[in-house]
């Protein structure tokens, strides 16, 4: 395994305490304002939409279930078993399948690729939550999942999100209620430089085929009722012949 026990335990603890209701987690926004917006940039650029689609870092499966309505074979994967327990409980019809995966762990992504073949990957806000030493191994794992024909769509907080989060965390009234448990469990987002993501992808043998800016929508609101959206960047990547 690549991840530290502290990091794994933090996620297990967070998901064991996370509420069951829709929107109860800071980043668990309705797919209409998350995955649906991303699909407009992702789906038309897929080489083969019929490949398995892996929702990497699926959490409680909100986006996974949405994607399972649109693709024939969707697998939600997550580091935390407690997250997958949530996902399975909220998907009693089994729209998607779920499994535990340390994508930064040497060999785990290769083993899944050997089982599934080439796959497309959707990943929202995972890289910036990784410890620095796991970021390149994570992207290497994504490259292994893609194989030759798969495409990855990654959405990550931009550098401009850090002061926004800092202001929320240090508010005189305390952090917003749904952000507080994230910080309490030691899952405070780390900073990933905007120009670092293409470097990670390139080192994994992938090419950035398209990119752009798109807010990462949360489930929290400011006191004036404005929904909190964090500046983010998206990248579409894959192997080129």
């Amino acid at each position: 395994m690549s991840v530290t026990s502290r990091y794994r335990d933090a996620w297990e603890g967070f998901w064991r305490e996370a509420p069951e209701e829709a929107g109860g987690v800071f980043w668990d926004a309705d797919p209409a304002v998350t995955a649906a917006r991303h699909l407009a940039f992702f789906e038309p650029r897929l080489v083969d939409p019929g490949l398995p689609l892996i929702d990497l870092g699926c959490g409680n499966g909100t986006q996974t279930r949405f994607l399972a309505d649109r693709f024939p074979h969707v697998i939600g994967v997550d580091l935390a078993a407690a997250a997958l327990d949530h996902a399975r409980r909220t998907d009693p019809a089994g729209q998607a399948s779920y499994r535990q995966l340390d994508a930064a762990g040497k060999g785990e992504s290769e083993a899944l690729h050997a089982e599934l073949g080439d796959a497309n990957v959707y990943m929202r806000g995972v890289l910036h939550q990784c410890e620095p030493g796991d970021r390149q191994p994570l992207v290497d794992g994504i490259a292994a999942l893609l194989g030759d024909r798969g495409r990855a769509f990654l959405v990550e907080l931009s550098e401009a999100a850090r002061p926004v989060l800092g202001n929320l965390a240090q508010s005189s009234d305390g952090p917003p209620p749904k952000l507080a448990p994230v910080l309490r469990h030691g899952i405070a987002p780390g900073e990933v430089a905007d120009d670092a993501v293409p470097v990670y992808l390139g080192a994994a043998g992938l090419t950035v085929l398209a990119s752009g800016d798109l807010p990462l929508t949360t489930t929290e609101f400011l006191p004036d009722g404005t929904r909190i959206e964090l500046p983010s960047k998206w990248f579409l990547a894959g192997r080129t012949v």
Side-chain angles (χ1 to χ4, degrees):
M1 296 294 183
S2 174
V3 298
T4 65
S5 59
R6 185 212 63 79
Y7 183 59
R8 184 188 298 275
D9 291 348
W11 278 110
E12 291 287 2
F14 173 83
W15 281 113
R16 279 195 297 268
E17 296 179 9
E20 292 282 345
E21 67 267 15
V25 173
F26 182 66
W27 53 80
D28 189 34
D30 190 286
V33 294
T34 49
R37 295 174 71 181
H38 299 151
L39 275 184
F41 301 94
F42 180 34
E43 195 169 15
R45 294 179 167 97
L46 295 177
V47 173
D48 185 351
L51 294 178
L53 176 63
I54 297 171
D55 182 11
L56 203 164
C58 68
N60 61 1
T62 299
Q63 312 307 316
T64 319
R65 295 190 300 277
F66 173 85
L67 294 168
D69 281 336
R70 286 148 183 84
F71 294 93
H73 184 194
V74 175
I75 307 101
V77 304
D78 203 279
L79 175 67
L84 298 171
D85 290 342
H86 274 262
R88 293 185 181 104
R89 284 195 298 271
T90 53
D91 187 8
Q95 289 176 276
S97 59
Y98 304 91
R99 64 175 66 194
Q100 191 169 15
L101 179 77
D102 172 9
K106 186 173 177 58
E108 292 198 33
S109 294
E110 288 87 347
L112 185 55
H113 179 264
E115 176 185 338
L116 299 176
D118 291 359
N120 295 312
V121 171
Y122 174 74
M123 188 176 83
R124 183 175 66 105
V126 174
L127 193 63
H128 73 269
Q129 293 174 341
C130 288
E131 295 179 341
D134 283 327
R135 290 173 187 160
Q136 187 63 59
L138 171 62
V139 179
D140 292 343
I142 291 170
L145 294 169
L146 299 184
D148 295 327
R149 296 180 297 147
R151 293 288 182 264
F153 188 82
L154 315 180
V155 183
E156 291 296 332
L157 295 184
S158 68
E159 294 173 31
R162 189 169 184 83
V164 177
L165 283 166
N167 289 337
L168 291 172
Q170 296 165 18
S171 167
S172 59
D173 297 325
K178 294 176 189 175
L179 180 58
V182 180
L183 302 175
R184 186 175 69 251
H185 283 280
I187 310 174
E191 183 173 336
V192 178
D194 293 346
D195 58 4
V197 179
V199 173
Y200 289 132
L201 291 166
L206 301 176
T207 299
V208 176
L209 304 169
S211 62
D213 298 293
L214 195 65
L216 197 152
T217 306
T218 78
T219 59
E220 272 287 13
F221 296 83
L222 296 172
D224 66 3
T226 303
R227 185 188 288 270
I228 296 172
E229 293 187 327
L230 302 174
S232 70
K233 293 187 174 292
W234 61 266
F235 302 87
L236 181 87
R239 289 190 172 85
T240 57
V241 178

